[in-house]
Amino acid sequence: MALRIFADYQNAMTVKKRYLFLVFLALFSACRQNRQVRVIPVADFFKSQDKGAYAISLDGKTMSYLKLQGKKQNLFVEDLSTGKSAQITRLNEKNINYYFWVSNDEIVYYKEKAGAERLSDIFIINKNGENERQLNDNSKSRMHVLKDQLIDGKFLLVSSNKRDSTVFDVYRLNVRNGHMDMAAKNPGNITNWVTDSKGQIRLATTSDGVNQTLLYRENENQAFRSIVTNNFKTTFTPIAISDNRPNILYAISNVNRDKNALIELNCINGKESKVLFSNDTLNVVDAQYSESKKTMAFVICETWKKEKHYLDSSARRLYAKLDKLLPGTESKIIDRDKAENTFIVRTFTDRNPGSYYLYIADKGTIRKLSDFNPYVKEAEMCEMKPVSYKARDGLKIQGYLTLPMNKLPENLPVVVLPHDGPGRRNSWGYNAEVQFLANRGYAVFQVNYRGSSGYGKSFAAAGSGQWGEKIKDDINDGVRWLIENKIANPRKIAIYGTGFGGYIALNSLYSSPGMYVCGGSNSGIINLFSYLKAIPPFWKTNLQMYYEILGNPLTEGDRMRQISPVFHADKFRVPVFIAQSPKDPRSNSGEAIQFVKELKKRNVNVTYLEKEYSEFSPQGEDVRQALYASLEQFLSANLSKK
């Protein structure tokens, strides 16, 4: 009887919370009813940054940044003692994808490789713009810098698949003469290499496709030996090797627990020796190690927002000072000098894309550098609220609901945005796509369906093998929750996503008839068989993992065909939006075009947009604006007429 009374109490409290949530939404929206909401131009939401990617030299004396010139980004540096700036690169054709300081005087940057999306040429240049030279050859191999500092003043530690396209070996690259000497040969199953703070290769991860093994050695003269083996569904992420205790590894781990914790691993015996932070309800998603103080500074946990839990008092004081200097916003340090005195800080909220600041700790000074997007005004943006509901099998699903500013939270047109992934998640913060849609009068619904990261091991594992099945059901159950609570107009619901989100959107359109009046996919997966074939050679060691997550085409072919949109053009009954780039290596553009033809042959109203580049590339501003202008027209035409 007591159990029943407790259950009745819980149900009553759930109803009460839902009622209070809806009352809050109603009151919040009602107070804004008389406020005029400007229809913000598409271009304003999706501008490229004029200045961004700020970084600090190792000695803290020079700041660098990328500045947009026309449609190209170039590197600039500023002497922090004089305030004088100078341009050090002059690129006319390709953009800089990424860069970092490797010494007090030298910068390494990745430049887009001509005719090869997702490949880059790597250069090094002095901070005065002199002695620029290319570090990698012009072959089709890939190279990644493992440790962003010079060793002995002239070597960079890099991984490259130039010997064998399927694996990455480690080389010492002499930046003075371009010579590469192998530092560690990959036997064929190593998927990741990890260095200590001095640039010594101390850890490696192997995979047989399902199980991952951590290899360790005390120094580079020794052979690697295995110390820990886990299934790929288990999280074990190395953060740093201790400088004071070189056999201790700091790692984020959910071994023998559901939620990620920060632990110390004794690499001699492979045993967990200490838990630095653990909580049964909080999932650690990141952690910060201080090389200058040689200690773990804090962990980051994520519920509906990210929050820091401090392990070092100096880190606590640093962020307390930033909170005082930058009130009412979230602060994130994106770069620092080696002494951890000069910092680049990025701010943001859910309604503000934020700004960049230079903070010098010993002087206590802060200086605004630039806004992420000065065209966005916080007062015109909408709040992102956390929501939760129960899926049909009882699993708790969480997400976010962003309501348009000038509408009551009832009978609204809704755009459902499944996130890319599936091993990712939606997070609280500014999202240009969400704000753009909310500004057009749509409620935007983001669901962290099962398989999303950040909610623990069991929740992530619940998504394995559920592409097009329970993952889709989680989203549909959320839509039903919106309808039951009178927030959504059941005749005005659309679904749209990018990548895996696009796959879910298309899958939902034909397998959930009557729920969505239209839907769209941007660079979405339409054929699981083709998707598996497109896996790059250097990911082949993880193929069995993909089979567990997606399905094995040899043994589960019928099921995979059933959940692949390309085979079901005859089942589509509502308008479809498809955007695709022929340069996207993850998808078969010819197959997408044929799919569009099949839909049109069956009199499905299709809007097809071919993108020259990815909208996420440095030259993607025009693509972004064309994409969202076309999506706006599509949604307006199909949601307003119902």
Side-chain angles (χ1 to χ4, degrees):
M1 184 67 179
L3 288 176
R4 181 178 177 182
I5 291 172
F6 179 70
D8 290 342
Y9 172 76
Q10 281 192 312
N11 291 333
M13 289 303 294
T14 299
V15 172
K16 183 177 180 181
K17 286 179 181 178
R18 180 181 297 177
Y19 172 75
L20 290 175
F21 172 72
L22 294 175
V23 169
F24 168 77
L25 292 180
L27 291 174
F28 179 77
S29 294
C31 73
R32 296 190 170 198
Q33 283 298 290
N34 296 324
R35 184 181 299 181
Q36 288 292 327
V37 177
R38 178 174 69 99
V39 177
I40 301 168
V42 174
D44 287 1
F45 284 105
F46 303 106
K47 292 281 188 184
S48 294
Q49 291 182 63
D50 178 54
K51 291 170 68 176
Y54 293 89
I56 296 292
S57 62
L58 275 62
D59 60 8
K61 294 180 179 180
T62 312
M63 179 176 69
S64 55
Y65 55 91
L66 293 177
K67 183 177 180 180
L68 194 64
Q69 296 175 309
K71 294 186 178 180
K72 300 300 169 188
Q73 289 177 319
N74 274 294
L75 255 173
F76 286 72
V77 297
E78 178 186 326
D79 185 322
L80 293 179
S81 63
T82 65
K84 292 182 179 179
S85 296
Q87 180 177 346
I88 65 170
T89 64
R90 286 173 170 78
L91 307 183
N92 296 316
E93 296 181 358
K94 295 296 176 180
N95 278 290
I96 294 174
N97 288 333
Y98 177 63
Y99 81 92
F100 48 89
W101 290 84
V102 294
S103 71
N104 295 332
D105 303 305
E106 294 169 295
I107 294 173
V108 165
Y109 71 86
Y110 291 61
K111 184 177 76 171
E112 291 174 321
K113 194 175 180 72
E117 190 165 317
R118 300 178 77 188
L119 283 176
S120 299
D121 288 326
I122 305 178
F123 293 79
I124 190 169
I125 189 171
N126 286 12
K127 69 178 182 180
N128 59 10
E130 297 176 355
N131 204 18
E132 182 177 18
R133 56 220 182 267
Q134 187 169 344
L135 296 179
N136 62 335
D137 57 29
N138 288 310
S139 68
K140 294 182 179 179
S141 64
R142 295 167 181 257
M143 188 169 83
H144 305 288
V145 176
L146 287 178
K147 182 65 178 174
D148 57 353
Q149 70 181 47
L150 289 179
I151 301 169
D152 298 330
K154 61 181 176 180
F155 294 107
L156 275 179
L157 206 60
V158 302
S159 64
S160 172
N161 64 343
K162 73 172 191 172
R163 178 184 64 86
D164 181 340
S165 65
T166 65
V167 297
F168 281 85
D169 303 306
V170 181
Y171 297 85
R172 279 190 174 83
L173 168 62
N174 189 321
V175 302
R176 308 303 171 206
N177 58 26
H179 291 166
M180 291 177 66
D181 297 317
M182 187 172 289
K185 186 176 181 180
N186 195 329
N189 62 346
I190 292 180
T191 58
N192 190 35
W193 304 91
V194 180
T195 71
D196 61 18
S197 63
K198 299 177 181 63
Q200 300 290 301
I201 311 164
R202 301 281 305 286
L203 297 170
T205 304
T206 68
S207 174
D208 63 8
V210 175
N211 296 310
Q212 297 173 341
T213 298
L214 184 69
L215 308 180
Y216 170 75
R217 62 185 182 186
E218 293 184 48
N219 58 66
E220 291 189 334
N221 295 322
Q222 295 183 345
F224 280 109
R225 60 185 179 86
S226 61
I227 57 172
V228 175
T229 297
N230 292 300
N231 184 276
F232 78 91
K233 296 177 183 179
T234 299
T235 296
F236 189 88
T237 307
I239 298 299
I241 298 171
S242 172
D243 287 292
N244 295 328
R245 298 175 294 161
N247 293 318
I248 293 296
L249 171 67
Y250 301 114
I252 293 174
S253 169
N254 63 14
V255 176
N256 299 322
R257 53 174 65 88
D258 183 60
K259 299 293 189 295
N260 293 345
L262 180 68
I263 61 110
E264 288 183 1
L265 183 82
N266 185 326
C267 294
I268 299 300
N269 58 26
K271 303 293 185 181
E272 183 180 302
S273 59
K274 187 177 182 181
V275 177
L276 298 179
F277 181 89
S278 178
N279 188 295
D280 290 341
T281 61
L282 295 177
N283 201 60
V284 176
V285 296
D286 199 2
Q288 179 69 54
Y289 178 74
S290 170
E291 289 190 3
S292 70
K293 297 179 178 62
K294 305 183 188 314
T295 186
M296 291 301 307
F298 57 82
V299 299
I300 296 176
C301 299
E302 187 168 16
T303 51
W304 70 278
K305 287 177 72 173
K306 289 181 179 177
E307 54 190 38
K308 298 180 186 70
H309 294 265
Y310 297 97
L311 305 173
D312 176 68
S313 59
S314 60
R316 184 190 301 274
R317 289 193 298 270
L318 170 63
Y319 278 93
K321 182 67 173 178
L322 289 175
D323 289 343
K324 188 174 180 180
L325 292 169
L326 302 167
T329 188
E330 301 291 316
S331 298
K332 180 179 181 181
I333 292 173
I334 60 174
D335 200 27
R336 70 197 72 203
D337 65 348
K338 197 164 187 177
E340 298 188 16
N341 181 64
T342 304
F343 301 88
I344 301 294
V345 182
R346 163 79 192 278
T347 63
F348 68 93
T349 70
D350 57 337
R351 299 170 58 211
N352 190 335
S355 305
Y356 297 99
Y357 294 85
L358 176 70
Y359 175 61
I360 301 178
D362 61 359
K363 297 179 181 178
T365 59
I366 195 158
R367 167 187 150 202
K368 186 175 182 179
L369 300 172
S370 65
D371 292 318
F372 192 89
N373 183 351
Y375 295 90
V376 169
K377 308 303 179 186
E378 183 172 349
E380 296 181 305
M381 299 298 107
C382 303
E383 292 191 65
M384 187 178 184
K385 294 292 184 182
V387 296
S388 65
Y389 57 91
K390 289 291 183 68
R392 62 192 67 182
D393 62 359
L395 187 65
K396 182 181 180 180
I397 305 297
Q398 301 180 65
Y400 301 93
L401 181 63
T402 302
L403 298 175
M405 192 179 293
N406 61 338
K407 303 284 180 66
L408 288 170
E410 57 185 40
N411 204 36
L412 292 171
V414 175
V415 178
V416 181
L417 287 183
H419 65 74
D420 199 358
R424 303 182 190 176
R425 63 164 284 168
N426 294 301
S427 293
W428 183 89
Y430 181 82
N431 184 312
E433 186 174 69
V434 170
Q435 294 296 338
F436 160 71
L437 292 169
N439 180 254
R440 267 51 184 174
Y442 305 115
V444 184
F445 188 46
Q446 298 169 275
V447 176
N448 285 329
Y449 45 77
R450 69 189 68 203
S452 299
S453 63
Y455 294 97
K457 185 194 302 183
S458 60
F459 189 87
S464 285
Q466 297 302 320
W467 284 38
E469 296 179 354
K470 288 186 178 179
I471 288 177
K472 174 200 65 185
D473 292 343
D474 290 344
I475 296 169
N476 289 346
D477 290 345
V479 172
R480 292 188 179 95
W481 178 83
L482 289 175
I483 294 171
E484 289 169 3
N485 284 283
K486 312 298 182 184
I487 298 170
N489 182 334
R491 295 175 297 173
K492 293 188 176 185
I493 300 175
I495 184 168
Y496 166 82
T498 297
F500 178 77
Y503 161 77
I504 286 293
L506 292 178
N507 182 281
S508 298
L509 290 183
Y510 74 83
S511 63
S512 306
M515 178 159 285
Y516 303 102
V517 298
C518 64
S521 163
N522 175 27
S523 302
I525 302 161
I526 62 171
N527 185 343
L528 296 185
F529 299 99
S530 299
Y531 179 73
L532 288 172
K533 287 180 181 178
I535 291 174
F538 46 86
W539 285 353
K540 293 297 184 183
T541 52
N542 293 323
L543 194 57
Q544 192 61 42
M545 176 187 72
Y546 280 92
Y547 287 168
E548 285 206 26
I549 295 173
L550 278 75
N552 188 324
L554 299 178
T555 59
E556 299 177 86
D558 290 344
R559 186 184 71 84
M560 291 176 66
R561 184 181 179 89
Q562 183 64 32
I563 59 176
S564 293
V566 71
F567 300 112
H568 302 284
D570 60 319
K571 296 185 178 72
F572 283 79
R573 299 288 185 269
V574 297
V576 181
F577 176 92
I578 295 178
Q580 200 78 32
S581 168
K583 297 180 181 179
D584 186 349
R586 300 168 300 178
S587 60
N588 186 327
S589 59
E591 195 169 49
I593 292 171
Q594 185 58 41
F595 178 56
V596 169
K597 289 180 179 178
E598 288 296 320
L599 290 173
K600 289 183 175 180
K601 188 187 297 183
R602 290 168 170 79
N603 297 317
V604 177
N605 181 354
V606 181
T607 298
Y608 178 68
L609 177 69
E610 187 168 283
K611 305 179 295 181
E612 183 179 1
Y613 303 102
S614 165
E615 66 273 22
F616 304 111
S617 64
Q619 72 271 49
E621 181 175 336
D622 290 345
V623 177
R624 287 194 298 274
Q625 294 185 14
L627 170 68
Y628 288 106
S630 183
L631 179 63
E632 177 180 19
Q633 294 175 359
F634 173 82
L635 293 173
S636 177
N638 292 291
L639 291 180
S640 62
K641 65 184 181 182
K642 295 294 180 178

